[in-house]
Amino acid sequence: MRALVLLLPLLLSACVVGVRPEPTVRPAPAPQTSSFVLNARLGLPPYPGSVALKHEQKGGSSEAEFETRDTLDQVYAFFHNWLVNRGWVRTRLEYKGPATKVEAVYQRGAERFKLELDQQGRSGRYKLEIDF
């Protein structure tokens, strides 16, 4: 009996399963809905993943500066696609300088504006102007 009493703690310790708390499952962060827009009249959002440096609104027009590692073509394509998906039609497109500046004119009904996207040299810094 005494041997059984000595073996009992040993048997019980062998039966205890190490219990780890389950890892805390955190939901994926929801996309942040920011009220920040590059142009309030259009509701134009910032370029994804960019860092805003400057932003000014003047009536319906605006000027913004931001940084991104993406190319001029990638940045312009984002804004162009966003506008087209909202019914804007590009009526003019012109590359200026050594392909570091894009000027485009968009129209939807009687509304019309000029978009200028200027890459500052070959840096990742951009200036976007919207003029109604």
Side-chain angles (χ1 to χ4, degrees):
M1 178 79 161
R2 189 174 192 188
L4 187 58
V5 171
L6 291 175
L7 284 175
L8 186 60
L10 187 62
L11 289 172
L12 287 175
S13 68
C15 293
V16 173
V17 176
V19 177
R20 274 197 241 169
E22 286 194 34
T24 305
V25 177
R26 295 186 181 124
Q32 293 190 1
T33 54
S34 172
S35 60
F36 176 72
V37 292
L38 295 180
N39 183 276
R41 188 167 174 180
L42 294 170
L44 186 66
Y47 185 75
S50 67
V51 175
L53 303 173
K54 177 184 170 185
H55 181 249
E56 293 178 10
Q57 289 281 138
K58 302 169 194 164
S61 299
S62 63
E63 183 178 303
E65 291 183 18
F66 57 92
E67 285 184 339
T68 180
R69 292 183 181 185
D70 292 342
T71 67
L72 177 69
D73 289 333
Q74 290 171 308
V75 175
Y76 174 69
F78 168 78
F79 291 122
H80 172 73
N81 291 334
W82 190 92
L83 291 163
V84 168
N85 287 333
R86 279 144 191 88
W88 291 94
V89 176
R90 183 178 59 208
T91 59
R92 186 173 68 100
L93 174 64
E94 186 177 344
Y95 280 86
K96 295 195 168 201
T100 61
K101 185 173 186 176
V102 176
E103 287 185 8
V105 175
Y106 288 86
Q107 188 165 347
R108 183 174 68 182
E111 289 184 291
R112 180 182 162 137
F113 71 89
K114 181 177 180 182
L115 178 149
E116 292 182 29
L117 180 63
D118 188 9
Q119 184 178 15
Q120 310 293 301
R122 289 287 178 190
S123 70
R125 191 173 190 154
Y126 291 86
K127 180 177 177 181
L128 176 69
E129 293 181 63
I130 305 283
D131 293 312
F132 275 92

